[in-house]
Amino acid sequence: MSEKKYAVEIEDLVVEFKTDDGIVKALNGVDLKIEEGKTLGLVGETGAGKTTTGLSILRLVPSPPGKIVSGTIKLNGESIFEKPEEEMRKLRGKAVSMIFQDPMTSLNPVMTVEEQIAEVIELHEDINHSGAIQKAKEMLELVGIPGERGTEYPHQFSGGMKQRVVIAIALACSPSLLIADEPTTALDVTIQAQVLEMMKDLRNRLNTSMLMITHDLGIVAEICDTVSVIYGGRVIEHGSLDDVFNNTRHPYTEGLFRSLPNLDDRTSKLKPIKGLMPDPINLPEGCTFYPRCDYAMEICKTVKPSKVYRNDEHYVECHLYDENSVKEGGKIGK
Ligand code: SF4
């Protein structure tokens, strides 16, 4: 059997931000891997560490106040921490691109869209301006916008079209990894579905690996091969789409599913997860989900759970699945 190749591998990544109130522990040992050509959904609430993970891969965590304290990140097998900034600049856009939630913040209002796409192409490829413009028009066609509209400005496009332009810019140099940070959140639901469908199609055609950052489990079900659930700056459950959706293990992941509306049963009430995310300046000593967990045991208060594997891919960080912890702590709650 051939060995798996990974577009990105993150191990034990710790990222902190210095603030006037203290040190914000944004990432506390994140592990994450995306196999070449596959899409991983990174799911969690606002403030869980999703965007910081994406920015870390591009080495774009603003410093100061941010700091990558420890850990490793490999892009296509090579560590990014050893690379000079000049080389990282070349990698951004070429090997790895990121698209953000709001297309308006990513587009330049005073440049035509084809000039904006061509700019990225010229930066990374040995091509003259007219060749880059030609390629920019082809990219627009690829994302479903007629090439002749390339001479228009962002304000002449709808929200969904603008996000398509952003995706065209991100894919212009055929990156091996695309990081999409809530790419459809700012769009109407019907447009969301169209943009998502287009991303799926492009990913399949170009064999791009993708990190889909989202809080929306519907999007994950639609587009992802594997899922990492992040909470308090750590991946607390990871597995294939089937593992996480049909064999949910972590109480937090369970809570995420329970808080989704069930279209087959309109009479049942939504069950939101009680409480709030922990203060990242003052994280609980043991399991970070402890204050909100219906299954909490004594041991959870003081001892951080380690990974317990259900199969080669699916793991969970929870004492409930650690035989010794259950014996020692005794199950309480629920
Ligand atoms: Fe709940 Fe304990 Fe599991 Fe944390 S380790 S999720 S507190 S049962």
Side-chain angles (χ1 to χ4, degrees), residues 127-185:
I127 193 168
N128 64 22
H129 188 63
S130 64
I133 291 286
Q134 184 51 40
K135 195 166 172 204
K137 287 186 189 296
E138 288 165 17
M139 286 310 298
L140 283 174
E141 297 275 354
L142 193 69
V143 297
I145 298 175
E148 62 267 22
R149 292 202 61 187
T151 52
E152 295 178 22
Y153 292 86
H155 74 268
Q156 293 169 282
F157 290 83
S158 66
M161 296 283 249
K162 279 198 273 270
Q163 195 59 307
R164 283 169 188 260
V165 173
V166 170
I167 293 167
I169 293 173
L171 294 176
C173 296
S174 316
S176 49
L177 175 69
L178 179 65
I179 303 171
D181 189 0
E182 307 268 9
T184 58
T185 306

Side-chain angles (χ1 to χ4, degrees), residues 250-251 287 289-290 293 295-296 300 305 318-320:
H250 199 282
C287 171
F289 191 56
Y290 172 77
C293 182
Y295 303 86
C300 308
C318 172
H319 289 304
L320 280 179

Side-chain angles (χ1 to χ4, degrees), residues 272-288:
I273 303 169
K274 68 182 183 193
L276 297 170
M277 287 266 291
D279 176 0
I281 295 179
N282 208 357
L283 287 172
E285 191 188 331
C287 171
T288 49

Side-chain angles (χ1 to χ4, degrees), residues 302-322:
T302 49
V303 180
K304 291 203 181 305
S306 3
K307 289 185 178 66
V308 180
Y309 280 86
R310 188 181 143 259
N311 58 36
D312 286 353
E313 181 102 39
H314 190 192
Y315 71 75
V316 63
E317 288 193 344
C318 172
H319 289 304
L320 280 179
Y321 302 95
D322 178 346

